[in-house]
């Protein structure tokens, strides 16, 4: 692992030597244990479950030698647990976006900040860390699989880094070196040393339009008060797959083995009695003929063939799979919606089902806030983010509880609460204003009705006479 201090030593050298060192840093990053683990986690997120995909059934000879079993069924059923659990927690906290305390914060951070934040969270939970690059009112997200960080040895802060990409091994390797005072683009063409693709430039560029040349010209540039790339660490600074992969692999292997047994149980095998003279070739011909003609002759006198089938064990496999599934939900502290899908679950039961996910998400929320605070520091914004979690509720029960308590609560609060439960919370202000206007109109008694003789009757029960006297 290379640090920021290692980078400072190399930065003083010629570009060719610096680029050679950066290429080595990229190679070491790609070959590191953390990178390999992140690659595996990404595969599981995409349902390319590595263990079951690489699983090969074996046969053993009489001498104990293992050979691939290319004859029997070898289903490779892949579960989607990892994707489901990561998505559930990330969406649970971030799907409603960030709520800001000050007006204008959302506009300064860009229209797609909430979407980019969710992307950064997904990569952080999957790979253990992601990186957010704030630049000119926009947030970009770098994966750990494409970014080499250089942390400070003294305080652990991220001070520089290299983002790299290559569309094919036969194509050039591209990279961007990010420093506190700007960024430089580098390219390694096949078989050549690294060279500058674009000279270092500041992060914030000021342009001036020249009518003579009819184009924008860079006349000034400036940088941020701190390094504009902020790390977003997952829980415990590790991938959510850590310590849970074995449970997923076990589930996949048991389920695939179950499918293999069911497939193999559909075969019919034959027991041929009084045919000891038959060789393996004769038996193979017998089976082939039964599959094609569905009839065969047994030449030996007194020989007869009896069909048999086997029944795959069912109850024990189903029970084991259910136990493994339950353990997966417990290990990931996830919500199993089947527990509340009946529609008759009470509010207490729903809250109890959400409690493990709530506890874990509370820890995750600190990770998100630390990342956002880093971005706000770069952008020069002072604000405090808050989140609204996506919770399933028993709407009927909650509405009844609000109505039962209505006489003890402010009327506006009851209206807002009911509209929120009904999914129309954004109309609360408008409806409250209408109710207040109607109440004011009734209270003031200003609805006058003309009685036909020039006099009017007010709705307060008194008769008004033109000279100001009241009868």
């Amino acid at each position: 692992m290379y640090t920021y201090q290692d980078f400072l030593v190399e930065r003083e050298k010629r570009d060719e030597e610096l680029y050679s060192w950066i290429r080595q840093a990229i190679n070491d990053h790609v070959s590191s244990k953390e990178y390999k683990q992140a690659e595996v986690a990404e595969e599981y997120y995409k349902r390319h479950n590595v263990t079951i995909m690489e699983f090969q059934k074996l046969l053993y000879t009489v001498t104990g030698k293992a050979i691939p079993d290319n004859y029997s069924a070898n289903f490779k059923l892949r579960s989607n647990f990892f994707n489901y659990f990561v998505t559930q927690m990330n969406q649970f906290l971030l799907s409603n976006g960030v709520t800001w305390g000050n007006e204008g914060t959302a506009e300064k951070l860009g229209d797609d900040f909430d979407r980019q934040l969710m992307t950064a969270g997904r990569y952080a939970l999957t790979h253990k860390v992601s990186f957010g690059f704030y630049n000119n009112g926009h947030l970009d997200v770098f994966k750990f699989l494409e970014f080499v960080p250089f942390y400070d040895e003294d305080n652990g802060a991220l001070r520089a880094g290299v983002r790299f990409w290559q569309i094919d091994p036969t194509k050039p390797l591209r990279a961007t070196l990010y420093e506190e005072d700007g960024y430089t683009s580098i390219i390694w063409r096949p078989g050549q040393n690294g060279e500058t693709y674009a000279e270092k430039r500041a992060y914030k560029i000021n342009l001036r339009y020249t009518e003579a040349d009819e184009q924008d010209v860079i006349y000034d540039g400036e940088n941020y008060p701190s390094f504009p790339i902020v790390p977003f660490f997952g829980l415990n600074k590790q991938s959510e797959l850590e310590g849970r992969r074995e449970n997923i692999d076990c589930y996949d292997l048991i389920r695939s083995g179950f499918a293999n047994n069911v497939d193999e149980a559909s075969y019919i095998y034959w027991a041929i009695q009084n045919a000891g003279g038959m060789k393996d070739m004769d038996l193979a011909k017998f089976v082939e003929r039964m599959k094609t003609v569905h009839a065969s002759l047994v030449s030996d006198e007194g020989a007869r063939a009896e069909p048999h089938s086997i029944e795959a064990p069912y109850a024990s496999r189903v029970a084991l799979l259910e136990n493994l599934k339950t353990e997966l939900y417990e290990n990931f502290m996830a919500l199993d919606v089947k527990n509340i899908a009946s529609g008759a679950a009470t509010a207490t039961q729903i809250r109890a089902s959400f409690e493990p996910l709530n506890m874990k998400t509370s820890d995750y929320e600190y990770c998100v806030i630390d990342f956002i605070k880093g971005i706000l520091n770069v952008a020069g914004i002072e604000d405090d983010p808050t989140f609204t979690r996506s919770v399933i509720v028993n709407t009927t029960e909650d509405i009844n509880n609000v109505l039962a308590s209505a006489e003890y609560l402010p009327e506006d609060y009851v209206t807002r609460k009911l509209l929120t439960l009904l999914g129309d919370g954004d109309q609360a202000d408008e409806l409250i204003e209408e109710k207040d206007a109607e109440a004011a109109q009734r209270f003031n008694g200003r609805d006058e009705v003309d009685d036909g003789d020039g006099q009017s009757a007010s709705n307060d029960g008194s008769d008004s006479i033109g000279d100001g006297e009241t009868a």
Side-chain angles (χ1 to χ4, degrees):
M1 176 181 181
Y2 294 103
T3 65
Y4 180 66
Q5 280 70 18
D6 296 328
F7 167 71
L8 291 179
V9 173
E10 299 297 328
R11 191 173 62 172
E12 302 301 324
K13 300 179 181 179
R14 296 182 298 111
D15 286 349
E16 182 177 344
E17 295 179 352
L18 173 61
Y19 296 162
S20 177
W21 180 85
I22 291 176
R23 180 65 182 268
Q24 184 60 45
I26 294 174
N27 292 339
D28 288 355
H29 179 71
V30 171
S31 60
S32 67
K33 178 182 178 182
E34 291 79 7
Y35 189 92
K36 299 299 182 184
Q37 291 174 338
E39 278 188 317
V40 169
E42 183 68 15
E43 291 299 304
Y44 274 79
Y45 185 85
K46 295 178 178 179
R47 294 189 66 180
H48 300 161
N49 299 7
V50 176
T51 301
I52 191 64
M53 291 296 294
E54 296 178 351
F55 178 72
Q56 173 64 58
K57 294 180 68 176
L58 300 175
L59 292 174
Y60 294 90
T61 65
V62 292
T63 61
K65 181 180 179 181
I67 59 175
D69 181 3
N70 299 320
Y71 304 97
S72 60
N74 187 18
F75 292 107
K76 298 182 178 182
L77 306 181
R78 292 162 282 174
S79 63
N80 193 38
F81 285 117
F82 186 61
N83 181 303
Y84 177 84
F85 293 143
V86 168
T87 302
Q88 184 185 75
M89 186 170 69
N90 202 39
Q91 295 276 0
F92 181 58
L93 180 66
L94 303 177
S95 61
N96 291 318
V98 183
T99 301
W100 301 102
N102 302 328
E103 293 185 5
T105 299
E107 183 179 353
K108 293 177 182 178
L109 293 175
D111 295 336
D112 63 342
F113 178 81
D114 289 332
R115 181 177 62 83
Q116 291 292 77
L117 179 62
M118 290 180 61
T119 301
R122 197 282 267 187
Y123 289 139
L125 293 172
T126 304
H127 304 154
K128 90 168 186 177
V129 64
S130 62
F131 303 90
F133 172 39
Y134 177 79
N135 193 21
N136 291 325
H138 177 72
L139 178 66
D140 288 313
V141 178
F142 301 156
K143 298 180 289 186
F144 182 71
L145 297 175
E146 63 181 4
F147 187 80
V148 184
F150 298 140
Y151 295 104
D152 195 310
E153 296 176 9
D154 296 329
N155 55 24
L158 182 63
R159 302 287 300 278
V162 176
R163 186 191 179 205
F164 61 94
W165 67 96
Q166 186 177 25
I167 62 174
D168 187 85
T170 62
K171 303 301 180 181
L173 171 65
R174 294 285 307 278
T176 302
L177 170 62
Y178 294 93
E179 304 175 68
E180 293 176 342
D181 60 345
Y183 60 95
T184 308
S185 296
I186 310 168
I187 186 172
W188 289 269
R189 306 183 192 278
Q192 299 181 20
N193 295 326
E195 58 184 274
T196 302
Y197 188 80
E199 296 291 342
K200 179 185 285 190
R201 54 174 289 184
Y203 291 104
K204 294 187 286 186
I205 299 298
N206 299 317
L207 302 176
R208 178 185 291 117
Y209 180 77
T210 60
E211 296 183 359
D213 297 329
E214 295 185 349
Q215 63 179 354
D216 292 331
V217 176
I218 298 175
Y219 73 90
D220 189 19
E222 57 182 310
N223 294 301
Y224 294 97
S226 59
F227 189 54
I229 299 180
V230 179
F232 185 159
F233 290 102
L235 289 170
N236 302 315
K237 294 186 177 181
Q238 64 182 21
S239 168
E240 283 297 287
L241 189 64
E242 189 72 25
R244 301 181 175 103
R245 175 182 174 180
E246 294 77 9
N247 296 66
I248 296 175
D249 291 342
C250 185
Y251 185 90
D252 290 344
L253 290 169
I254 295 297
R255 193 162 64 121
S256 299
F258 191 11
N260 292 335
N261 290 154
V262 171
D263 182 81
E264 292 168 358
S266 64
Y267 296 155
I268 295 178
Y269 70 92
W270 296 85
I272 304 176
Q273 299 179 3
N274 300 323
M278 293 182 69
K279 306 296 184 183
D280 288 346
M281 183 60 68
D282 298 325
L283 293 173
K285 290 180 179 180
F286 172 83
V287 173
E288 181 182 3
R289 192 168 181 81
M290 292 300 298
K291 289 181 178 180
T292 55
V293 186
H294 303 289
S296 182
L297 297 176
V298 182
S299 57
D300 290 359
E301 184 178 355
R304 61 191 182 93
E306 294 181 355
H308 296 271
S309 62
I310 59 175
E311 183 177 349
Y314 175 78
S316 60
R317 295 289 182 91
V318 171
L320 179 57
L321 287 174
E322 285 300 319
N323 288 337
L324 287 172
K325 185 176 180 180
T326 301
E327 288 183 6
L328 279 166
Y329 275 92
E330 292 177 353
N331 289 342
F332 276 95
M333 300 178 70
L335 170 68
D336 189 352
V337 294
K338 289 184 179 179
N339 295 333
I340 53 177
S342 64
T346 65
T348 302
Q349 290 173 324
I350 293 175
R351 285 194 294 269
S353 298
F354 268 93
E355 190 56 25
L357 179 60
N358 260 319
M359 290 190 296
K360 186 177 181 182
T361 304
S362 296
D363 284 342
Y364 176 51
E365 185 172 340
Y366 287 112
C367 301
V368 177
I369 291 176
D370 287 344
F371 172 72
I372 292 178
K373 288 292 187 180
I375 296 296
L376 294 180
N377 181 57
V378 173
I381 300 174
E382 293 186 4
D383 207 336
D384 293 312
T386 57
F387 307 92
T388 302
R389 302 183 184 184
S390 299
V391 181
I392 300 172
V393 297
N394 186 326
T395 306
T396 302
E397 183 178 352
D398 286 350
I399 288 177
N400 291 335
N401 289 337
V402 173
L403 293 176
S405 307
E407 60 179 310
Y408 308 105
L409 300 171
E411 186 176 352
D412 287 357
Y413 173 83
V414 174
T415 302
R416 291 181 186 279
K417 192 68 174 178
L418 290 175
L419 289 173
T420 300
L421 291 172
L422 293 172
D424 297 322
D426 55 341
Q427 301 180 20
D429 291 336
E430 180 181 350
L431 292 178
I432 289 173
E433 288 179 3
E434 291 181 4
K435 288 182 61 179
D436 290 344
E438 292 175 359
Q441 191 176 40
R442 289 193 302 271
F443 179 79
N444 293 328
R446 297 304 183 187
D447 293 336
E448 297 181 348
V449 180
D450 191 347
D451 61 6
D453 59 356
Q455 297 180 345
S456 61
S458 65
N459 63 0
D460 61 356
S462 62
D463 294 330
S464 176
I465 302 177
D467 61 2
E469 297 181 356
T470 301

